[in-house]
Amino acid sequence: MVVNSGSTVGSGPATPAKLRAVIKQHWGFNELRPLQAAAMQTFLAGRDSLLVLPTGGGKSLCYQAPAVLRGDTTVVISPLIALMKDQVDGLRACGVPAVQINSSQSPDELRAAERSIADGKIRLVFASPERMATSSFRALLKQINVQRFAIDEAHCISHWGHDFRPDYRQLGDLKRLFPQASIHAFTATATEPVRADIAAQLGLQNPEILVGYFDRPNLTYTVEPRSDQYTQILEVLKRHRGEAGIIYCIRRKDVEELTDWLKQRRIKALPYHAGMDQADRVASQDQFMQEKCQVVVATVAFGMGINRSNIRFVLHTGMPKSIEHYQQETGRAGRDGLEAECVLLYSGADTATWQYIIEKSIADSEAEVDPEYLESARRHLADMENFCRPVKCRHRSLVEYFGQTYDADNCGACDLCLGNNERVPESTTIAQKILSCVYRVHENFGVTHVTAVLRGANLAAIRERGHNELSTYGILKAHSQRELTDWISQLIGQGLLTQTTSEFRVLKLNPASWAVMRGQLQVTLHQTVAAGTGNQADSSRPRTRRSSEAASASWEGVDRELFEHLTAVRLQQAELRRVPPYLVFNDATLRELARVRPASVESLASIYGVGESKLRDFGPAFLAALDEHCRARQLTRDQPAALKSSSGPASPASISGTKATAYSLFRQGATIEKVMKQTDRARATVLQYLCSFLLEEPQSSVQKWVAEDTCRRVTKVAETIGTETLRPIFEALDGAVTYDDIKIVVAHLRSSQ
Ligand code: ADP
Ligand code: ZN
């Protein structure tokens, strides 16, 4: 791979304009994502900082771009060697000189890397915390007078985090050893105690703490009761044929069984868990990273360092043990900013499984158990279980869990908001029938037998026990096995029925069950709209599963055949250069290429993700492929790009065609009414578009949409009580200003904060 010596942007003081030029030159990005500018500023100014952004939020660029602009050497501490190699390869592909220093290298490689560092040729050095602890490495860094340290995955330094690594503790010495250097910490873990602990452990001085917005608008969240697991898994795989995904299982045994089962169905999936041979594990990971395998079945052990950006689905076959885990694991999907789906198959029994695993791991370990740990584990499970209930928009639940507010009424990207999950009519009656059946079989049987009796199955096991004589025999025969299993699991999850943890998992009644049977307690059950199935309960409505607007919009105008062809070109180029394919171009870039179909080097250069190095290295191959494909099919070239498709995950605008139209109208100063008419959208939707438009493209004033006087009044109140929530502002103004106007002004104020 060709590596040039850095930026050609010129010398003199680092200005935002120069920074943008560096980013355009090396990465081909036209815009910055939220908080990136602020984070880069702390870096350039040499002020300690901590940046908290969700996975895929774009943390790396915050130290990489300023490092290039500074022109000296920045040291990046990273916990995993796989992660480092990837970053180094990625930087080199963008024409940024970078090296790694770690135990995976031969002595010769190490010496060469050290020499290039000593010569001042390197902009970014990636090292492990252990390496950082060695005196020879420290001496080298002193020799070149390092001024900037970036600490990746900084939560690893905290006991409070979910991934504490003892070797990170040594980083507490950095401040003492390099008093003149600034330290910049990066993490995706959001909770307040962890944040404070990171700053304290690293000894950050008056750090700027920047906390990003936790929502990932390009992810669609679905929680389905787990009833017929393998069928449900197949449905997800069918929706994502040929695309990359991770299937998470709770236990190693589940990983192995599922991988075997998929193999029998000729679906190529590789296993990954901590009990496997190191070599096998590495092989699975490599195949996945190199796009030779699309699906990995794994335990939570799989994840850190998985930077593949085009993961289109993450499927959990069981409930994770905390919302933090869920956020992290699902966060691996859609890092390229394109739509991705997160499906969680949940059963009321998952909590008990986790409790068993946690208790067993404690019993197996010699160490004394911290009672607080147990309590915190229990709380995490309860929070996670609450999340699984079909009560509240999933995007809202997640964002609120991390202490932030969610403004939209309908996210358009979760099972609840898409209407893919709805109430079962007559839930209470159904629950009463199920519970009565449990009573009639003397609380001696598990789910399979009880559902068989309810459906009136003609089985020897039922006849032998005389259960075909029961009043509840066949009482729910209109429903499928899957539905009944699903509802029983919901009853367990809601505490309305108990399942023993013994081997036979017998169903037992509890006081709440009796309250339901006596009609003292109402029950709500939910059902998921499965792909293309008719609805038995309500046949008057069409019941096809709806996908998010993001899913269809991001393919708008894309020539799919060409996209597939370009994917093959990418694989070829990657193999030629021995890098993972997504380091050549990510999927967002390929879709843009297949949409715009650039006809010249100049128009290719304007595509998202095409910087100077990549233009030079990969431009000819891709242009040739485009020429050939378009000539053969007489396709027009240089089509319009998707508006703002470049800004990735943090920008909801990237995903919706309608929204893009709205944005362009707002830019021209169109009123809300006009945009409603032109986009054929309701007022609430257009208002949402306007607010996100203001956040993403800050305007000097909002007078086009709110009267000047109203704007002034809202601003005045907001200055004293803040813009966290709207209601206090509404009340402070005695209800004289509408919520709509407040929303617009608040968005405007937030954009300038
Ligand atoms: P994180 O480390 O926060 O999980 P990354 O740094 O890996 O996220 O960034 C995720 C993806 O977003 C990468 O593919 C990166 O190239 C891309 N990206 C980062 N910043 C921008 C930007 N300003 N515009 C477009 N894409 C960006
Ligand atoms: Zn929602």
Side-chain angles (χ1 to χ4, degrees), residues 40 42-44 46 59-78 87-88 91 96-101 116-117 120-127 132 137 140-141 144-152 174 178 181-186:
M40 292 182 193
T42 67
F43 197 99
L44 290 173
K59 291 184 284 295
S60 336
L61 194 68
C62 298
Y63 55 82
Q64 293 172 345
V68 173
L69 185 55
R70 280 179 56 83
D72 63 351
T73 306
T74 291
V75 176
V76 185
I77 309 292
S78 177
Q87 291 224 26
V88 168
L91 282 165
V96 177
V99 291
Q100 53 172 338
I101 297 280
S116 59
I117 295 172
K121 285 186 191 147
I122 298 300
R123 297 292 79 84
L124 289 134
V125 176
F126 291 79
M132 198 55 236
F137 188 59
L140 175 62
L141 300 186
I144 57 161
N145 192 19
V146 168
Q147 299 287 329
R148 298 287 182 275
F149 285 94
I151 317 286
D152 214 359
L174 275 184
F178 297 87
S182 59
I183 297 186
H184 306 272
F186 299 86

Coordinates of all heavy atoms in Angstrom, one line a residue, residues 40 42-44 46 59-78 87-88 91 96-101 116-117 120-127 132 137 140-141 144-152 174 178 181-186:
M40 N -12.2 17.6 18.4 CA -11.0 17.9 17.7 C -10.4 19.2 18.2 O -9.2 19.3 18.3 CB -11.2 18.0 16.2 CG -11.6 16.6 15.6 SD -11.9 16.7 13.9 CE -12.6 15.1 13.5
T42 N -10.5 20.3 21.3 CA -9.7 20.1 22.6 C -8.4 19.4 22.3 O -7.4 19.7 22.9 CB -10.5 19.1 23.5 OG1 -10.5 17.8 22.9 CG2 -11.9 19.5 23.8
F43 N -8.4 18.6 21.2 CA -7.1 17.9 20.9 C -6.1 19.0 20.3 O -4.9 19.0 20.7 CB -7.4 16.9 19.8 CG -6.4 15.9 19.6 CD1 -6.4 14.7 20.2 CD2 -5.3 16.2 18.8 CE1 -5.4 13.7 20.0 CE2 -4.3 15.3 18.6 CZ -4.3 14.0 19.2
L44 N -6.6 19.9 19.5 CA -5.7 20.8 18.9 C -5.2 21.8 20.0 O -4.1 22.3 20.0 CB -6.4 21.6 17.8 CG -6.6 20.7 16.5 CD1 -7.4 21.5 15.5 CD2 -5.3 20.3 15.9
G46 N -4.9 21.2 23.1 CA -4.1 20.5 24.2 C -4.8 20.5 25.5 O -4.2 20.5 26.6
K59 N -15.6 8.2 16.8 CA -14.6 8.7 17.8 C -13.2 8.7 17.2 O -12.5 9.7 17.4 CB -14.6 7.8 19.0 CG -15.9 7.9 19.8 CD -15.8 7.1 21.1 CE -16.0 5.6 20.9 NZ -17.4 5.2 20.4
S60 N -12.9 7.7 16.4 CA -11.5 7.6 15.9 C -11.0 8.9 15.2 O -9.9 9.4 15.3 CB -11.3 6.4 15.0 OG -12.2 5.4 15.3
L61 N -11.9 9.4 14.3 CA -11.6 10.6 13.5 C -11.2 11.7 14.4 O -10.3 12.6 14.0 CB -12.7 11.0 12.6 CG -12.4 11.9 11.5 CD1 -11.6 11.2 10.4 CD2 -13.7 12.4 10.8
C62 N -11.7 11.8 15.6 CA -11.4 12.9 16.5 C -10.0 13.0 16.9 O -9.5 14.1 17.3 CB -12.3 12.8 17.7 SG -14.1 12.9 17.3
Y63 N -9.3 11.9 16.9 CA -7.8 12.0 17.2 C -7.0 11.8 15.9 O -5.9 12.4 15.8 CB -7.3 11.0 18.3 CG -7.7 9.6 18.1 CD1 -6.9 8.8 17.3 CD2 -8.7 9.0 18.7 CE1 -7.1 7.4 17.1 CE2 -9.0 7.6 18.6 CZ -8.2 6.9 17.8 OH -8.5 5.5 17.6
Q64 N -7.6 11.1 15.0 CA -6.8 10.9 13.8 C -6.6 12.1 12.9 O -5.4 12.5 12.6 CB -7.5 9.8 12.9 CG -7.5 8.4 13.6 CD -8.3 7.4 12.8 OE1 -9.1 7.8 11.9 NE2 -8.1 6.2 13.1
A65 N -7.7 12.9 12.7 CA -7.5 14.1 11.8 C -6.6 15.1 12.5 O -5.7 15.6 11.8 CB -8.9 14.6 11.5
P66 N -6.8 15.5 13.8 CA -6.0 16.5 14.3 C -4.5 16.0 14.4 O -3.6 16.8 14.2 CB -6.5 16.7 15.8 CG -7.9 16.1 15.7 CD -7.9 15.1 14.7
A67 N -4.3 14.7 14.5 CA -2.9 14.2 14.6 C -2.3 14.5 13.2 O -1.1 14.9 13.2 CB -2.9 12.7 14.9
V68 N -3.0 14.3 12.1 CA -2.4 14.5 10.8 C -2.1 16.0 10.7 O -1.1 16.4 10.2 CB -3.4 14.1 9.7 CG1 -2.9 14.5 8.3 CG2 -3.6 12.6 9.8
L69 N -3.1 16.9 11.1 CA -2.9 18.3 11.0 C -1.7 18.8 11.8 O -0.9 19.7 11.3 CB -4.2 19.0 11.4 CG -4.2 20.5 11.2 CD1 -3.9 20.9 9.7 CD2 -5.6 21.1 11.6
R70 N -1.5 18.3 13.0 CA -0.4 18.7 13.8 C 0.9 18.3 13.2 O 1.9 19.1 13.4 CB -0.5 18.0 15.2 CG -1.5 18.7 16.2 CD -1.5 17.9 17.5 NE -0.2 17.9 18.1 CZ 0.3 18.8 18.8 NH1 -0.3 19.9 19.1 NH2 1.5 18.7 19.4
G71 N 1.0 17.2 12.6 CA 2.2 16.8 11.9 C 3.3 16.2 12.8 O 4.3 15.9 12.3
D72 N 3.0 16.1 14.1 CA 4.0 15.3 14.9 C 3.4 13.9 15.2 O 2.7 13.4 14.4 CB 4.3 16.1 16.2 CG 3.0 16.3 17.1 OD1 1.9 15.9 16.6 OD2 3.2 16.8 18.2
T73 N 3.8 13.3 16.3 CA 3.4 12.0 16.5 C 2.4 11.9 17.7 O 2.7 12.3 18.8 CB 4.6 11.1 16.9 OG1 5.5 11.2 15.8 CG2 4.2 9.6 17.0
T74 N 1.2 11.3 17.4 CA 0.2 11.0 18.5 C 0.2 9.6 18.8 O 0.4 8.7 18.0 CB -1.2 11.4 18.0 OG1 -1.2 12.9 17.8 CG2 -2.3 11.0 18.9
V75 N 0.1 9.3 20.2 CA 0.1 7.9 20.6 C -1.3 7.5 21.0 O -2.0 8.2 21.7 CB 1.0 7.7 21.8 CG1 1.0 6.3 22.3 CG2 2.5 8.1 21.4
V76 N -1.7 6.3 20.4 CA -3.1 5.8 20.7 C -2.9 4.5 21.5 O -2.3 3.6 21.1 CB -3.8 5.5 19.4 CG1 -5.3 5.1 19.7 CG2 -3.8 6.7 18.5
I77 N -3.6 4.5 22.7 CA -3.5 3.3 23.5 C -4.8 2.5 23.2 O -5.9 3.1 23.3 CB -3.5 3.6 25.0 CG1 -2.3 4.6 25.3 CG2 -3.3 2.3 25.8 CD1 -1.0 4.1 25.1
S78 N -4.7 1.3 22.8 CA -5.8 0.5 22.4 C -5.7 -0.9 23.1 O -4.6 -1.4 23.1 CB -5.8 0.4 20.9 OG -6.8 -0.4 20.4
Q87 N -6.9 -0.5 12.5 CA -6.9 0.9 12.4 C -5.6 1.4 11.6 O -5.7 2.3 10.8 CB -6.7 1.5 13.9 CG -8.0 1.3 14.6 CD -8.4 2.6 15.4 OE1 -8.0 3.7 15.0 NE2 -9.1 2.4 16.5
V88 N -4.5 0.7 11.8 CA -3.3 1.0 11.1 C -3.6 0.8 9.6 O -3.3 1.7 8.8 CB -2.1 0.2 11.6 CG1 -0.9 0.3 10.7 CG2 -1.7 0.6 13.0
L91 N -5.8 3.5 8.3 CA -5.1 4.8 8.1 C -4.2 4.8 6.9 O -4.2 5.8 6.1 CB -4.4 5.2 9.4 CG -5.2 5.7 10.5 CD1 -4.5 5.6 11.8 CD2 -5.7 7.1 10.2
V96 N -2.3 8.0 5.6 CA -1.8 8.5 6.8 C -0.8 7.5 7.4 O -1.1 6.3 7.6 CB -2.9 8.7 7.9 CG1 -2.4 9.2 9.2 CG2 -4.0 9.7 7.3
P97 N 0.5 8.0 7.6 CA 1.5 7.0 8.1 C 1.2 6.6 9.6 O 1.1 7.5 10.4 CB 2.8 7.8 8.1 CG 2.5 9.1 7.3 CD 1.0 9.3 7.4
A98 N 1.0 5.3 9.8 CA 0.7 4.9 11.1 C 1.4 3.5 11.3 O 1.6 2.8 10.4 CB -0.8 4.7 11.3
V99 N 1.7 3.2 12.6 CA 2.3 1.9 12.9 C 1.7 1.4 14.2 O 1.1 2.2 15.0 CB 3.8 2.0 13.1 CG1 4.6 2.2 11.8 CG2 4.2 3.0 14.2
Q100 N 1.9 0.1 14.4 CA 1.5 -0.5 15.7 C 2.7 -1.0 16.4 O 3.7 -1.4 15.7 CB 0.5 -1.6 15.5 CG 0.9 -2.6 14.5 CD -0.1 -3.8 14.5 OE1 -0.8 -4.1 15.4 NE2 0.0 -4.6 13.4
I101 N 2.7 -1.0 17.7 CA 3.8 -1.5 18.4 C 3.2 -2.5 19.4 O 2.6 -2.1 20.4 CB 4.5 -0.4 19.2 CG1 5.1 0.6 18.3 CG2 5.6 -1.0 20.2 CD1 6.5 0.3 17.7
S116 N 11.0 4.2 12.4 CA 10.2 5.2 11.7 C 9.6 6.2 12.7 O 9.4 7.4 12.4 CB 9.1 4.6 10.8 OG 8.3 3.8 11.6
I117 N 9.3 5.7 13.9 CA 8.8 6.7 14.9 C 9.9 7.7 15.3 O 9.7 8.9 15.3 CB 8.4 5.9 16.2 CG1 7.2 5.0 15.9 CG2 8.0 6.9 17.3 CD1 6.8 4.0 17.0
G120 N 10.4 10.5 13.1 CA 9.4 11.5 13.1 C 8.5 11.3 11.9 O 7.8 12.3 11.5
K121 N 8.5 10.2 11.3 CA 7.7 10.0 10.0 C 6.3 9.6 10.3 O 5.4 9.5 9.4 CB 8.3 8.9 9.2 CG 9.6 9.3 8.5 CD 10.0 8.1 7.6 CE 11.4 8.3 7.1 NZ 12.1 7.0 6.9
I122 N 6.0 9.2 11.5 CA 4.7 8.6 11.9 C 3.7 9.6 12.5 O 4.1 10.3 13.5 CB 5.0 7.4 12.8 CG1 5.9 6.4 12.1 CG2 3.7 6.8 13.3 CD1 5.3 5.8 10.8
R123 N 2.5 9.6 12.0 CA 1.5 10.5 12.7 C 0.8 9.8 13.8 O 0.5 10.4 14.8 CB 0.5 10.9 11.6 CG 0.9 11.8 10.4 CD 1.4 13.2 10.9 NE 2.7 13.1 11.4 CZ 3.9 13.1 10.7 NH1 3.8 13.2 9.4 NH2 5.0 13.0 11.3
L124 N 0.5 8.5 13.7 CA -0.2 7.8 14.7 C 0.5 6.5 15.1 O 0.8 5.6 14.2 CB -1.6 7.5 14.3 CG -2.5 8.8 14.3 CD1 -3.3 8.9 13.1 CD2 -3.4 8.9 15.5
V125 N 0.8 6.3 16.4 CA 1.4 5.1 16.9 C 0.3 4.4 17.7 O -0.2 5.0 18.7 CB 2.6 5.3 17.8 CG1 3.1 4.0 18.3 CG2 3.7 6.0 17.0
F126 N 0.0 3.1 17.4 CA -0.9 2.4 18.2 C -0.2 1.4 19.1 O 0.7 0.7 18.7 CB -1.9 1.6 17.4 CG -2.9 2.5 16.6 CD1 -2.5 3.2 15.5 CD2 -4.1 2.7 17.1 CE1 -3.3 4.0 14.8 CE2 -5.0 3.5 16.4 CZ -4.6 4.2 15.3
A127 N -0.4 1.5 20.4 CA 0.3 0.6 21.4 C -0.7 0.1 22.4 O -1.7 0.7 22.7 CB 1.4 1.4 22.0
M132 N 3.0 0.3 26.8 CA 3.2 1.7 27.3 C 3.9 1.6 28.7 O 4.5 2.6 29.1 CB 1.8 2.2 27.5 CG 1.7 3.7 27.7 SD 2.5 4.6 26.3 CE 3.6 5.7 27.3
F137 N 10.0 1.8 25.6 CA 9.0 2.5 24.7 C 8.8 3.9 25.3 O 8.7 4.9 24.5 CB 7.6 1.7 24.7 CG 6.6 2.3 23.8 CD1 6.9 2.4 22.4 CD2 5.4 2.7 24.2 CE1 6.0 2.9 21.5 CE2 4.4 3.2 23.4 CZ 4.7 3.3 22.0
L140 N 11.5 6.1 24.1 CA 11.3 6.5 22.7 C 10.4 7.7 22.5 O 10.6 8.6 21.8 CB 10.8 5.3 21.9 CG 10.5 5.5 20.4 CD1 11.7 5.9 19.6 CD2 9.9 4.2 19.8
L141 N 9.3 7.6 23.3 CA 8.3 8.6 23.2 C 8.8 9.9 23.8 O 8.5 11.0 23.3 CB 7.0 8.2 23.9 CG 6.3 6.9 23.4 CD1 5.0 6.7 24.1 CD2 6.1 7.0 21.9
I144 N 11.0 11.7 21.2 CA 10.4 12.5 20.1 C 9.4 13.5 20.7 O 8.6 14.1 20.0 CB 9.6 11.6 19.1 CG1 8.6 10.7 19.8 CG2 10.6 10.7 18.3 CD1 7.6 10.1 18.8
N145 N 9.4 13.6 22.0 CA 8.6 14.6 22.7 C 7.1 14.6 22.4 O 6.5 15.5 21.8 CB 9.2 16.0 22.3 CG 8.6 17.1 23.2 OD1 8.1 16.8 24.3 ND2 8.7 18.3 22.8
V146 N 6.5 13.4 22.7 CA 5.1 13.2 22.4 C 4.2 14.2 23.2 O 4.4 14.4 24.3 CB 4.7 11.8 22.7 CG1 3.1 11.6 22.7 CG2 5.3 10.8 21.7
Q147 N 3.3 14.8 22.4 CA 2.4 15.8 23.1 C 1.0 15.4 23.2 O 0.2 16.1 23.9 CB 2.4 17.1 22.2 CG 3.8 17.7 22.0 CD 4.2 18.4 23.3 OE1 3.4 19.0 24.0 NE2 5.5 18.5 23.5
R148 N 0.6 14.3 22.6 CA -0.8 14.0 22.6 C -1.0 12.5 22.8 O -0.3 11.7 22.1 CB -1.5 14.3 21.3 CG -1.6 15.8 20.9 CD -2.5 16.6 21.8 NE -2.6 18.0 21.5 CZ -1.8 18.9 21.9 NH1 -0.8 18.6 22.7 NH2 -2.0 20.2 21.6
F149 N -1.8 12.1 23.7 CA -2.2 10.7 23.9 C -3.7 10.5 23.7 O -4.5 11.3 24.3 CB -1.9 10.2 25.3 CG -0.4 10.0 25.5 CD1 0.4 11.0 26.1 CD2 0.2 8.8 25.2 CE1 1.8 10.8 26.3 CE2 1.6 8.6 25.4 CZ 2.4 9.6 25.9
A150 N -4.1 9.5 23.0 CA -5.5 9.2 22.9 C -5.7 7.8 23.5 O -5.0 6.9 23.2 CB -5.9 9.1 21.4
I151 N -6.7 7.7 24.4 CA -6.9 6.4 25.1 C -8.3 5.9 24.5 O -9.3 6.4 24.8 CB -7.1 6.6 26.6 CG1 -6.0 7.5 27.2 CG2 -7.1 5.2 27.3 CD1 -4.6 7.0 27.2
D152 N -8.2 4.8 23.7 CA -9.4 4.2 23.2 C -10.0 3.3 24.2 O -9.3 2.7 25.0 CB -9.0 3.4 21.9 CG -10.0 3.4 20.9 OD1 -11.1 4.1 21.1 OD2 -9.8 2.9 19.8
L174 N 0.6 8.1 33.1 CA 0.9 9.0 31.9 C 1.1 10.4 32.3 O 2.1 11.1 31.8 CB -0.2 8.8 30.9 CG -0.1 7.6 30.0 CD1 -1.2 7.7 28.9 CD2 1.3 7.6 29.2
F178 N 4.5 12.3 31.4 CA 4.5 13.2 30.2 C 3.6 14.4 30.6 O 2.5 14.6 30.1 CB 3.9 12.5 29.0 CG 4.7 11.4 28.5 CD1 4.5 10.1 28.9 CD2 5.7 11.6 27.5 CE1 5.2 9.1 28.5 CE2 6.4 10.5 27.0 CZ 6.2 9.3 27.5
A181 N 2.0 16.7 28.0 CA 1.1 16.2 27.0 C -0.3 16.2 27.4 O -0.6 16.1 28.6 CB 1.5 14.8 26.6
S182 N -1.2 16.3 26.5 CA -2.6 16.3 26.9 C -3.1 14.8 26.6 O -2.6 14.1 25.7 CB -3.5 17.3 26.1 OG -3.4 17.1 24.7
I183 N -4.1 14.5 27.4 CA -4.7 13.1 27.3 C -6.1 13.2 26.8 O -6.9 14.0 27.4 CB -4.6 12.4 28.6 CG1 -3.1 12.2 29.0 CG2 -5.3 11.0 28.5 CD1 -2.9 11.4 30.2
H184 N -6.5 12.4 25.9 CA -7.9 12.4 25.3 C -8.4 11.0 25.4 O -7.9 10.1 24.8 CB -7.8 12.9 23.9 CG -7.1 14.3 23.8 ND1 -7.8 15.4 24.0 CD2 -5.8 14.6 23.7 CE1 -6.9 16.4 24.0 NE2 -5.7 15.9 23.8
A185 N -9.5 10.9 26.2 CA -10.1 9.5 26.5 C -11.3 9.4 25.6 O -12.1 10.3 25.4 CB -10.4 9.4 27.9
F186 N -11.6 8.2 25.2 CA -12.7 7.9 24.3 C -13.4 6.6 24.8 O -12.8 5.6 25.1 CB -12.3 7.7 22.8 CG -11.6 8.9 22.3 CD1 -10.2 9.1 22.5 CD2 -12.3 9.8 21.6 CE1 -9.6 10.2 22.0 CE2 -11.7 11.0 21.1 CZ -10.3 11.1 21.3

